[in-house]
Amino acid sequence: MIQSDEVADALRTGAPVVALESTIITHGMPWPQNLDVARRVEETVRAGGAVPATIAVIDGTLHVGLTDARLEDLAQRDGVAKLSRADIAACMATGGTGATTVAATMIGARLAGIDIFATGGIGGVHRGAEDSFDISADLRELSETPVTVVAAGAKAILDLPKTWEVLETLGVPVIAVGQDSIPAFWSASSPHPAPLRMDRASEIAAAHVMRGAMGLPGGQLVANPIPAADEIPAEALTPVIDQALEEAAAQGIAAKAVTPFLLARIFELTEGRSLEANIALVLNNARLAAEIAQEIGALRRAGGPVA
Ligand code: PSU
Ligand code: MN
């Protein structure tokens, strides 16, 4: 593993660090906005008083914290693999280059000793999963790897009720921030009541440290609503999502190609509007994650929340 100097220094001194995924850059957003967003997310983490650690596998080496040159190269390179739990070790063993999904970023963060990670949305149970069995490895990772993930919920391309049921079955805390429903990515609220609600970063940090102290495996999903000004109403997106899903089915898109295909089609069909909202919510998540990282650091210095 190669850590950037900045990340290595922060981890050695106990300064706050926020992990960031790279699949959102390579498979989640189009060039060149992807590079711009990746840089802005890193700046936002810094402005929040934490060190950003974007994670990726480059030529067989796991990088935790990318130089700007590596970030730029990754953002425009063709043929970068999409790595989840199933393929990250194989990619490293064979000298490959790949971007990390939520699951693989959690694995990288844990290896480096990073507690918290910010992204846009997690993978989940796909619509029609009762036939396709397509359930993202992100869900199981959340139940196994002790990293707190800040996201704006999950996209409506998924079957959201089934996604939340699976997380409950797996014992993953789903914490809505400052509201009683689970946010639905482009929309701040949803009809799904949140299993847990917290209004302060310090509470989320305390719950994270408490889980660690109890030896509970797995992380927490912090579901942070998109800022109201950036929301897209669900009614506006429903026909677009339905069209993208129909096209995916007609073209036989399957397995790990499904999520990138749907995201790309929705960006095209909304003429970039979905991307603007996506950018706003990722930055909002980076801000909250930096705050939680600081609170976790303060609790660790004080000996944790257990008296
Ligand atoms: N959801 C988004 N944007 C993304 C992804 C999901 O709104 O970029 C990416 C993340 O990297 C996530 C992955 O971990 O897609 C899930 O892919 P799959 O459904 O194949 O597990
Ligand atoms: Mn899948």
Side-chain angles (χ1 to χ4, degrees):
M1 182 200 314
I2 294 182
Q3 295 177 358
S4 66
D5 292 346
E6 195 187 10
V7 168
D9 283 351
L11 290 171
R12 201 174 39 245
T13 59
V17 179
V18 173
L20 300 166
E21 65 158 303
S22 43
T23 294
I24 191 174
I25 305 171
T26 57
H27 294 70
M29 292 185 183
W31 168 266
Q33 290 100 324
N34 60 347
L35 176 61
D36 180 53
V37 174
R39 286 178 172 149
R40 283 167 66 195
V41 172
E42 291 205 346
E43 279 162 24
T44 303
V45 170
R46 285 202 179 89
V51 171
T54 302
I55 296 182
V57 176
I58 300 174
D59 300 330
T61 300
L62 179 64
H63 285 254
V64 178
L66 297 182
T67 59
D68 192 64
R70 288 208 174 96
L71 197 65
E72 185 169 351
D73 181 58
L74 195 71
Q76 57 188 321
R77 197 150 148 171
D78 283 333
V80 176
K82 173 182 160 188
L83 305 177
S84 189
R85 166 175 278 255
D87 22 37
I88 185 168
C91 180
M92 291 169 66
T94 56
T97 292
T100 52
T101 58
V102 168
T105 306
M106 291 178 75
I107 291 169
R110 184 187 56 79
L111 283 171
I114 300 170
D115 290 287
I116 178 143
F117 156 34
T119 186
I122 61 160
V125 180
H126 282 264
R127 297 198 202 172
E130 54 276 31
D131 295 319
S132 68
F133 272 52
D134 189 347
I135 301 175
S136 176
D138 292 351
L139 300 185
R140 219 187 112 195
E141 202 62 51
L142 278 161
S143 75
E144 295 206 349
T145 298
V147 172
T148 286
V149 178
V150 183
K155 285 203 171 116
I157 57 173
L158 300 170
D159 186 323
L160 295 177
K162 286 195 181 70
T163 299
W164 310 133
E165 284 294 346
V166 168
L167 286 174
E168 177 168 299
T169 301
L170 293 172
V172 175
V174 176
I175 304 166
V177 180
Q179 65 181 35
D180 294 322
S181 74
I182 307 179
F185 202 83
W186 292 295
S187 313
S189 61
S190 77
H192 310 296
L196 294 164
R197 169 184 171 157
M198 291 186 184
D199 293 6
R200 283 180 293 278
S202 58
E203 297 173 297
I204 298 165
H208 174 94
V209 174
M210 181 64 83
R211 287 181 64 87
M214 294 174 74
L216 289 173
Q220 316 186 99
L221 177 63
V222 176
N224 188 30
I226 184 171
D230 301 301
E231 257 191 302
I232 305 182
E235 312 81 74
L237 281 167
T238 301
V240 167
I241 291 168
D242 289 345
Q243 182 179 340
L245 287 165
E246 274 168 32
E247 289 178 12
Q251 294 177 37
I253 308 290
K256 57 203 280 180
V258 172
T259 298
F261 177 88
L262 294 174
L263 298 182
R265 280 306 281 145
I266 292 167
F267 292 148
E268 287 165 8
L269 293 168
T270 61
E271 291 164 348
R273 186 155 172 234
S274 69
L275 183 58
E276 286 309 312
N278 200 344
I279 293 168
L281 65 86
V282 175
L283 296 175
N284 191 44
N285 295 341
R287 251 186 310 271
L288 177 62
E291 218 182 305
I292 298 168
Q294 304 226 34
E295 296 286 353
I296 291 173
L299 282 169
R300 293 223 197 283
R301 283 192 294 279
V306 192

Coordinates of all heavy atoms in Angstrom, one line a residue, residues 16-103:
P16 N -7.6 14.0 11.6 CA -8.8 13.4 10.9 C -8.5 13.2 9.4 O -7.9 14.0 8.7 CB -9.9 14.5 11.1 CG -9.2 15.7 11.6 CD -7.9 15.3 12.1
V17 N -8.9 12.0 8.9 CA -8.8 11.6 7.5 C -10.2 11.2 7.0 O -10.9 10.5 7.7 CB -7.8 10.5 7.4 CG1 -7.6 10.1 5.9 CG2 -6.4 10.9 7.9
V18 N -10.5 11.5 5.8 CA -11.8 11.0 5.2 C -11.4 10.3 3.9 O -10.8 10.8 3.0 CB -12.7 12.2 4.8 CG1 -13.9 11.7 4.0 CG2 -13.2 12.9 6.1
A19 N -11.8 9.0 3.8 CA -11.5 8.2 2.6 C -12.6 8.6 1.5 O -13.7 9.0 1.9 CB -11.7 6.7 2.9
L20 N -12.2 8.5 0.3 CA -13.0 8.8 -0.9 C -12.9 7.7 -1.9 O -11.8 7.2 -2.1 CB -12.6 10.2 -1.5 CG -12.7 11.4 -0.5 CD1 -12.0 12.6 -1.1 CD2 -14.2 11.8 -0.2
E21 N -14.0 7.4 -2.6 CA -13.9 6.3 -3.6 C -13.5 6.8 -4.9 O -13.6 8.0 -5.2 CB -15.3 5.6 -3.7 CG -16.4 6.4 -4.2 CD -17.5 5.6 -4.8 OE1 -17.3 4.8 -5.7 OE2 -18.7 5.8 -4.4
S22 N -13.1 5.9 -5.8 CA -12.7 6.3 -7.1 C -13.6 5.8 -8.2 O -13.6 6.3 -9.4 CB -11.3 5.9 -7.4 OG -11.0 4.6 -7.0
T23 N -14.5 4.9 -7.9 CA -15.5 4.4 -9.0 C -16.4 5.5 -9.4 O -16.8 5.7 -10.6 CB -16.3 3.2 -8.6 OG1 -15.3 2.1 -8.4 CG2 -17.3 2.8 -9.6
I24 N -16.8 6.4 -8.5 CA -17.6 7.5 -8.8 C -16.9 8.4 -9.8 O -17.6 9.0 -10.7 CB -18.0 8.3 -7.5 CG1 -19.1 9.4 -7.7 CG2 -16.7 9.0 -6.9 CD1 -19.5 10.0 -6.4
I25 N -15.6 8.4 -9.8 CA -14.8 9.2 -10.8 C -14.8 8.5 -12.2 O -15.0 9.1 -13.2 CB -13.4 9.5 -10.3 CG1 -13.4 10.1 -8.9 CG2 -12.6 10.3 -11.3 CD1 -12.0 10.1 -8.2
T26 N -14.5 7.2 -12.1 CA -14.2 6.5 -13.4 C -15.5 5.9 -14.0 O -15.6 5.8 -15.3 CB -13.3 5.3 -13.2 OG1 -13.8 4.5 -12.2 CG2 -11.9 5.8 -12.8
H27 N -16.5 5.6 -13.2 CA -17.7 4.9 -13.7 C -19.0 5.6 -13.3 O -20.0 5.2 -13.7 CB -17.8 3.5 -13.2 CG -16.7 2.6 -13.7 ND1 -15.4 2.7 -13.3 CD2 -16.8 1.5 -14.6 CE1 -14.7 1.7 -13.9 NE2 -15.5 1.0 -14.7
G28 N -18.9 6.7 -12.5 CA -20.1 7.3 -12.0 C -20.4 8.7 -12.6 O -21.5 9.1 -12.6
M29 N -19.4 9.3 -13.2 CA -19.6 10.6 -13.8 C -18.8 10.8 -15.1 O -17.7 10.2 -15.2 CB -19.1 11.7 -12.8 CG -19.9 11.9 -11.5 SD -19.4 13.2 -10.5 CE -20.5 13.0 -9.2
P30 N -19.3 11.6 -16.0 CA -18.5 11.7 -17.3 C -17.3 12.6 -17.2 O -17.3 13.5 -16.3 CB -19.6 12.3 -18.2 CG -20.5 13.1 -17.3 CD -20.5 12.3 -16.0
W31 N -16.3 12.4 -18.0 CA -15.2 13.3 -18.2 C -15.7 14.6 -18.9 O -16.5 14.4 -19.8 CB -14.1 12.6 -19.0 CG -13.0 13.5 -19.5 CD1 -13.0 14.2 -20.7 CD2 -11.9 13.9 -18.8 NE1 -11.8 14.9 -20.8 CE2 -11.2 14.8 -19.6 CE3 -11.4 13.6 -17.5 CZ2 -10.0 15.4 -19.2 CZ3 -10.2 14.2 -17.1 CH2 -9.5 15.1 -17.9
P32 N -15.3 15.8 -18.5 CA -14.2 16.1 -17.6 C -14.8 16.5 -16.2 O -14.0 16.9 -15.3 CB -13.6 17.3 -18.2 CG -14.7 18.0 -18.9 CD -15.7 17.0 -19.3
Q33 N -16.1 16.5 -16.1 CA -16.7 16.9 -14.8 C -16.2 16.0 -13.6 O -16.1 16.4 -12.5 CB -18.2 16.8 -14.8 CG -18.9 17.9 -15.6 CD -19.3 17.3 -17.0 OE1 -18.6 16.5 -17.5 NE2 -20.4 17.8 -17.5
N34 N -15.9 14.7 -14.0 CA -15.5 13.8 -12.9 C -14.2 14.3 -12.2 O -14.1 14.2 -11.0 CB -15.3 12.4 -13.5 CG -14.3 12.3 -14.6 OD1 -13.8 13.3 -15.2 ND2 -13.9 11.1 -15.0
L35 N -13.3 14.8 -13.0 CA -12.0 15.2 -12.4 C -12.3 16.5 -11.6 O -11.8 16.6 -10.4 CB -11.0 15.6 -13.5 CG -9.7 16.2 -13.0 CD1 -8.9 15.2 -12.1 CD2 -8.7 16.5 -14.2
D36 N -13.1 17.4 -12.1 CA -13.4 18.6 -11.4 C -14.1 18.3 -10.1 O -13.7 18.8 -9.0 CB -14.3 19.5 -12.3 CG -14.7 20.8 -11.6 OD1 -13.8 21.5 -11.2 OD2 -15.9 21.0 -11.5
V37 N -15.0 17.3 -10.1 CA -15.7 17.0 -8.9 C -14.7 16.3 -7.9 O -14.8 16.6 -6.7 CB -16.9 16.0 -9.2 CG1 -17.5 15.5 -7.9 CG2 -17.9 16.7 -10.0
A38 N -13.9 15.4 -8.4 CA -12.9 14.7 -7.5 C -12.1 15.8 -6.8 O -11.8 15.7 -5.6 CB -12.1 13.8 -8.3
R39 N -11.6 16.8 -7.5 CA -10.8 17.8 -6.9 C -11.6 18.6 -5.9 O -11.1 19.0 -4.8 CB -10.2 18.8 -7.9 CG -9.1 18.1 -8.7 CD -8.7 19.1 -9.8 NE -7.5 18.6 -10.5 CZ -7.2 18.9 -11.7 NH1 -8.0 19.6 -12.5 NH2 -6.1 18.4 -12.3
R40 N -12.8 19.0 -6.2 CA -13.7 19.8 -5.3 C -14.0 19.0 -4.1 O -14.1 19.6 -3.0 CB -14.9 20.3 -6.1 CG -14.6 21.4 -7.0 CD -15.8 21.7 -7.9 NE -17.0 22.2 -7.2 CZ -18.2 22.2 -7.8 NH1 -18.3 21.8 -9.0 NH2 -19.2 22.7 -7.1
V41 N -14.2 17.7 -4.2 CA -14.5 16.9 -3.0 C -13.3 16.9 -2.1 O -13.5 17.1 -0.9 CB -14.9 15.5 -3.4 CG1 -15.0 14.6 -2.2 CG2 -16.2 15.5 -4.1
E42 N -12.1 16.8 -2.6 CA -10.9 16.8 -1.8 C -10.8 18.2 -1.1 O -10.5 18.3 0.1 CB -9.7 16.5 -2.7 CG -9.7 15.0 -3.1 CD -8.3 14.5 -3.4 OE1 -7.3 15.3 -3.5 OE2 -8.1 13.3 -3.6
E43 N -11.0 19.2 -1.9 CA -10.9 20.6 -1.3 C -11.9 20.8 -0.2 O -11.6 21.4 0.9 CB -11.3 21.7 -2.3 CG -10.1 22.0 -3.2 CD -10.6 22.7 -4.5 OE1 -11.7 23.3 -4.5 OE2 -9.9 22.6 -5.5
T44 N -13.1 20.2 -0.3 CA -14.2 20.4 0.7 C -13.8 19.6 2.0 O -14.0 20.1 3.1 CB -15.5 19.8 0.1 OG1 -15.8 20.5 -1.0 CG2 -16.6 19.9 1.2
V45 N -13.2 18.5 1.8 CA -12.7 17.7 3.0 C -11.6 18.6 3.7 O -11.6 18.7 4.9 CB -12.1 16.3 2.6 CG1 -11.4 15.7 3.8 CG2 -13.3 15.4 2.1
R46 N -10.7 19.1 2.9 CA -9.6 20.0 3.5 C -10.2 21.2 4.2 O -9.8 21.5 5.3 CB -8.7 20.5 2.5 CG -7.7 19.4 2.0 CD -6.5 20.0 1.4 NE -5.6 18.9 1.0 CZ -5.7 18.2 -0.2 NH1 -6.5 18.7 -1.1 NH2 -5.0 17.2 -0.4
A47 N -11.2 21.8 3.6 CA -11.8 23.0 4.2 C -12.5 22.6 5.5 O -12.7 23.5 6.4 CB -12.8 23.6 3.2
G48 N -12.9 21.4 5.6 CA -13.6 20.9 6.8 C -12.6 20.5 7.9 O -13.0 19.9 8.9
G49 N -11.3 20.7 7.6 CA -10.3 20.4 8.6 C -9.8 18.9 8.6 O -9.2 18.5 9.6
A50 N -10.0 18.2 7.5 CA -9.6 16.8 7.5 C -8.7 16.6 6.2 O -8.7 17.4 5.3 CB -10.8 15.8 7.5
V51 N -8.1 15.5 6.2 CA -7.2 15.1 5.0 C -8.0 14.1 4.1 O -8.4 13.1 4.6 CB -5.9 14.5 5.5 CG1 -5.1 14.0 4.3 CG2 -5.1 15.6 6.3
P52 N -8.1 14.4 2.8 CA -8.8 13.5 1.9 C -7.9 12.4 1.5 O -6.7 12.6 1.3 CB -9.1 14.4 0.7 CG -8.1 15.5 0.7 CD -7.6 15.7 2.1
A53 N -8.4 11.2 1.4 CA -7.7 10.0 1.0 C -8.5 9.3 -0.1 O -9.3 8.4 0.2 CB -7.4 9.1 2.2
T54 N -8.3 9.7 -1.3 CA -8.9 9.0 -2.4 C -8.2 7.7 -2.7 O -7.0 7.6 -2.7 CB -8.9 9.9 -3.7 OG1 -9.6 11.1 -3.4 CG2 -9.6 9.2 -4.9
I55 N -9.0 6.6 -2.8 CA -8.4 5.3 -2.9 C -8.6 4.6 -4.3 O -9.6 4.8 -4.9 CB -9.1 4.4 -1.8 CG1 -8.7 5.0 -0.4 CG2 -8.7 2.9 -1.9 CD1 -9.3 4.2 0.8
A56 N -7.5 4.0 -4.8 CA -7.6 3.3 -6.1 C -6.4 2.3 -6.1 O -5.5 2.5 -5.4 CB -7.5 4.3 -7.2
V57 N -6.5 1.4 -7.1 CA -5.4 0.5 -7.3 C -4.8 0.9 -8.6 O -5.4 1.0 -9.7 CB -5.9 -1.0 -7.5 CG1 -4.7 -1.9 -7.8 CG2 -6.5 -1.5 -6.1
I58 N -3.5 1.3 -8.6 CA -2.8 1.7 -9.8 C -1.6 0.8 -10.0 O -0.7 0.6 -9.1 CB -2.3 3.2 -9.6 CG1 -3.5 4.1 -9.4 CG2 -1.5 3.6 -10.8 CD1 -3.2 5.5 -9.1
D59 N -1.6 0.2 -11.2 CA -0.5 -0.8 -11.5 C -0.2 -1.7 -10.4 O 1.0 -2.0 -10.0 CB 0.8 0.0 -11.9 CG 0.5 1.0 -13.1 OD1 -0.3 0.6 -13.9 OD2 1.2 2.0 -13.2
G60 N -1.2 -2.3 -9.8 CA -1.1 -3.3 -8.8 C -0.9 -2.9 -7.4 O -0.9 -3.7 -6.5
T61 N -0.8 -1.6 -7.2 CA -0.6 -1.1 -5.8 C -1.8 -0.3 -5.3 O -2.4 0.5 -6.1 CB 0.7 -0.1 -5.8 OG1 1.8 -0.9 -6.3 CG2 0.9 0.4 -4.4
L62 N -2.2 -0.6 -4.1 CA -3.3 0.1 -3.5 C -2.8 1.4 -3.0 O -1.8 1.6 -2.2 CB -3.8 -0.7 -2.3 CG -4.9 -0.1 -1.5 CD1 -6.2 0.0 -2.3 CD2 -5.2 -0.9 -0.2
H63 N -3.4 2.5 -3.6 CA -3.0 3.9 -3.2 C -4.1 4.4 -2.3 O -5.3 4.4 -2.6 CB -2.9 4.8 -4.4 CG -1.7 4.5 -5.2 ND1 -0.6 5.4 -5.2 CD2 -1.3 3.5 -6.0 CE1 0.3 4.9 -6.0 NE2 -0.1 3.8 -6.5
V64 N -3.7 5.0 -1.2 CA -4.6 5.6 -0.2 C -4.1 7.1 -0.2 O -3.1 7.4 0.5 CB -4.5 5.0 1.2 CG1 -5.4 5.7 2.2 CG2 -4.9 3.5 1.0
G65 N -4.8 7.9 -0.9 CA -4.4 9.3 -1.1 C -3.7 9.4 -2.4 O -2.7 8.7 -2.6
L66 N -4.3 10.1 -3.4 CA -3.7 10.2 -4.7 C -3.1 11.6 -4.9 O -3.7 12.6 -4.5 CB -4.8 10.0 -5.8 CG -5.5 8.6 -5.8 CD1 -6.5 8.6 -7.0 CD2 -4.5 7.5 -6.0
T67 N -2.0 11.7 -5.6 CA -1.5 13.0 -6.0 C -2.4 13.5 -7.1 O -3.2 12.7 -7.7 CB -0.1 12.8 -6.7 OG1 -0.2 12.0 -7.8 CG2 1.0 12.3 -5.7
D68 N -2.4 14.8 -7.4 CA -3.3 15.4 -8.4 C -3.0 14.8 -9.7 O -3.9 14.5 -10.5 CB -3.1 16.9 -8.4 CG -4.3 17.5 -9.2 OD1 -5.4 17.4 -8.8 OD2 -4.0 18.1 -10.3
A69 N -1.7 14.5 -10.0 CA -1.4 13.9 -11.3 C -2.0 12.5 -11.5 O -2.5 12.2 -12.5 CB 0.1 13.8 -11.5
R70 N -2.0 11.7 -10.4 CA -2.6 10.4 -10.5 C -4.1 10.5 -10.6 O -4.8 9.7 -11.3 CB -2.2 9.6 -9.2 CG -0.8 9.1 -9.2 CD -0.6 7.8 -8.4 NE 0.8 7.4 -8.6 CZ 1.7 7.6 -7.7 NH1 1.5 8.3 -6.6 NH2 2.9 7.2 -7.9
L71 N -4.7 11.4 -9.9 CA -6.1 11.7 -9.9 C -6.6 12.0 -11.4 O -7.5 11.4 -11.9 CB -6.5 12.8 -9.0 CG -8.0 12.9 -8.6 CD1 -8.4 11.7 -7.8 CD2 -8.2 14.2 -7.8
E72 N -5.8 12.9 -12.0 CA -6.1 13.3 -13.4 C -6.0 12.1 -14.3 O -6.8 11.9 -15.2 CB -5.2 14.5 -13.8 CG -5.5 15.0 -15.1 CD -4.8 16.3 -15.4 OE1 -4.1 16.9 -14.5 OE2 -4.9 16.7 -16.6
D73 N -4.9 11.4 -14.2 CA -4.7 10.2 -15.0 C -5.8 9.2 -14.9 O -6.4 8.7 -15.9 CB -3.3 9.5 -14.7 CG -3.1 8.4 -15.5 OD1 -3.0 8.6 -16.8 OD2 -2.9 7.2 -15.0
L74 N -6.2 8.9 -13.7 CA -7.3 7.9 -13.5 C -8.6 8.4 -14.1 O -9.4 7.6 -14.7 CB -7.5 7.7 -11.9 CG -8.3 6.6 -11.5 CD1 -7.5 5.3 -11.7 CD2 -8.6 6.7 -10.0
A75 N -8.9 9.7 -14.0 CA -10.1 10.3 -14.4 C -10.3 10.2 -15.9 O -11.5 10.2 -16.4 CB -10.3 11.8 -13.9
Q76 N -9.2 10.1 -16.7 CA -9.4 10.1 -18.1 C -8.9 8.8 -18.8 O -9.0 8.7 -20.0 CB -8.7 11.3 -18.8 CG -7.3 11.5 -18.5 CD -6.7 12.8 -19.0 OE1 -7.1 13.3 -20.0 NE2 -5.9 13.4 -18.2
R77 N -8.4 7.9 -18.0 CA -7.8 6.7 -18.5 C -9.0 5.8 -19.0 O -10.0 5.7 -18.3 CB -7.0 6.0 -17.4 CG -6.1 5.0 -17.8 CD -5.0 5.0 -16.7 NE -4.4 3.7 -16.5 CZ -3.4 3.4 -15.8 NH1 -2.7 4.4 -15.2 NH2 -2.9 2.2 -15.7
D78 N -8.8 5.1 -20.1 CA -9.7 4.1 -20.6 C -9.4 2.7 -19.9 O -8.3 2.4 -19.6 CB -9.6 3.9 -22.1 CG -10.3 5.1 -22.8 OD1 -11.2 5.7 -22.2 OD2 -9.9 5.4 -23.9
G79 N -10.5 1.9 -19.8 CA -10.3 0.5 -19.4 C -9.9 0.3 -17.9 O -9.4 -0.7 -17.6
V80 N -10.2 1.3 -17.1 CA -10.0 1.2 -15.7 C -11.0 0.2 -15.1 O -12.2 0.4 -15.4 CB -10.1 2.5 -14.9 CG1 -9.9 2.3 -13.4 CG2 -9.0 3.5 -15.4
A81 N -10.6 -0.8 -14.4 CA -11.6 -1.8 -13.9 C -12.4 -1.2 -12.7 O -12.0 -0.2 -12.1 CB -10.8 -3.0 -13.3
K82 N -13.5 -1.8 -12.5 CA -14.4 -1.4 -11.4 C -14.2 -2.5 -10.3 O -14.6 -3.6 -10.5 CB -15.8 -1.3 -11.8 CG -16.8 -1.1 -10.7 CD -18.3 -1.0 -11.3 CE -19.3 -1.3 -10.2 NZ -20.6 -1.4 -10.8
L83 N -13.6 -2.1 -9.2 CA -13.2 -3.1 -8.2 C -14.1 -3.1 -7.0 O -14.4 -2.1 -6.3 CB -11.8 -2.8 -7.7 CG -10.7 -2.7 -8.8 CD1 -9.4 -2.4 -8.1 CD2 -10.6 -4.0 -9.6
S84 N -14.6 -4.3 -6.7 CA -15.4 -4.5 -5.4 C -14.6 -5.5 -4.6 O -13.5 -5.9 -4.9 CB -16.8 -4.9 -5.8 OG -17.6 -4.9 -4.6
R85 N -15.2 -6.1 -3.6 CA -14.6 -7.0 -2.7 C -14.1 -8.2 -3.5 O -13.0 -8.8 -3.2 CB -15.5 -7.5 -1.6 CG -15.1 -8.8 -0.9 CD -16.0 -9.2 0.2 NE -15.7 -8.4 1.4 CZ -15.1 -8.9 2.5 NH1 -14.6 -10.1 2.5 NH2 -14.9 -8.1 3.5
A86 N -14.8 -8.7 -4.5 CA -14.5 -9.9 -5.3 C -13.2 -9.7 -6.1 O -12.5 -10.7 -6.4 CB -15.7 -10.3 -6.2
D87 N -12.9 -8.5 -6.6 CA -11.8 -8.4 -7.6 C -10.7 -7.5 -7.1 O -9.7 -7.5 -7.8 CB -12.4 -7.9 -8.9 CG -13.7 -7.2 -8.9 OD1 -13.9 -6.4 -7.9 OD2 -14.5 -7.4 -9.8
I88 N -10.7 -6.9 -5.9 CA -9.6 -6.0 -5.6 C -8.3 -6.7 -5.4 O -7.2 -6.3 -5.9 CB -10.0 -5.1 -4.4 CG1 -8.8 -4.1 -4.1 CG2 -10.3 -5.9 -3.1 CD1 -9.2 -3.0 -3.1
A89 N -8.3 -7.9 -4.7 CA -7.1 -8.6 -4.5 C -6.5 -9.1 -5.8 O -5.3 -9.1 -6.1 CB -7.3 -9.7 -3.5
A90 N -7.4 -9.6 -6.7 CA -6.9 -10.2 -8.0 C -6.3 -9.1 -8.8 O -5.2 -9.3 -9.5 CB -8.1 -10.8 -8.8
C91 N -6.9 -7.9 -8.8 CA -6.3 -6.7 -9.5 C -4.9 -6.4 -9.0 O -4.0 -6.2 -9.8 CB -7.3 -5.5 -9.4 SG -6.7 -4.1 -10.3
M92 N -4.8 -6.4 -7.7 CA -3.5 -6.0 -7.1 C -2.4 -7.1 -7.4 O -1.3 -6.8 -7.8 CB -3.6 -5.9 -5.6 CG -4.4 -4.6 -5.2 SD -4.9 -4.6 -3.5 CE -3.2 -4.4 -2.7
A93 N -2.9 -8.4 -7.4 CA -1.9 -9.5 -7.6 C -1.4 -9.5 -9.0 O -0.4 -10.1 -9.3 CB -2.6 -10.8 -7.2
T94 N -2.2 -9.0 -10.0 CA -1.9 -9.1 -11.4 C -1.4 -7.8 -12.0 O -1.3 -7.7 -13.2 CB -3.0 -9.7 -12.2 OG1 -4.2 -8.8 -12.0 CG2 -3.4 -11.1 -11.8
G95 N -1.1 -6.8 -11.1 CA -0.6 -5.5 -11.6 C -1.6 -4.7 -12.3 O -1.2 -3.8 -13.1
G96 N -2.8 -4.9 -12.1 CA -3.9 -4.1 -12.8 C -4.1 -2.7 -12.2 O -3.6 -2.3 -11.1
T97 N -5.0 -2.0 -12.9 CA -5.4 -0.7 -12.4 C -6.9 -0.7 -12.3 O -7.6 -1.1 -13.2 CB -5.0 0.4 -13.4 OG1 -3.5 0.5 -13.3 CG2 -5.5 1.8 -13.1
G98 N -7.4 -0.2 -11.2 CA -8.9 -0.2 -11.0 C -9.3 0.8 -10.0 O -8.6 1.3 -9.1
A99 N -10.6 1.2 -10.2 CA -11.2 2.2 -9.2 C -12.0 1.4 -8.2 O -12.6 0.3 -8.5 CB -12.1 3.1 -10.0
T100 N -12.0 1.9 -7.0 CA -12.7 1.2 -5.9 C -14.2 1.7 -5.7 O -14.4 2.9 -5.7 CB -11.9 1.4 -4.6 OG1 -11.7 2.8 -4.4 CG2 -10.6 0.7 -4.6
T101 N -15.0 0.7 -5.6 CA -16.5 1.0 -5.3 C -16.5 1.2 -3.8 O -15.5 1.2 -3.1 CB -17.3 -0.3 -5.6 OG1 -16.8 -1.3 -4.8 CG2 -17.3 -0.7 -7.0
V102 N -17.8 1.4 -3.3 CA -18.0 1.6 -1.9 C -17.4 0.5 -1.1 O -16.6 0.6 -0.1 CB -19.5 1.8 -1.6 CG1 -19.7 1.7 -0.1 CG2 -20.0 3.1 -2.1
A103 N -17.6 -0.8 -1.6 CA -17.1 -2.0 -0.8 C -15.6 -2.0 -0.8 O -15.0 -2.1 0.3 CB -17.7 -3.2 -1.5

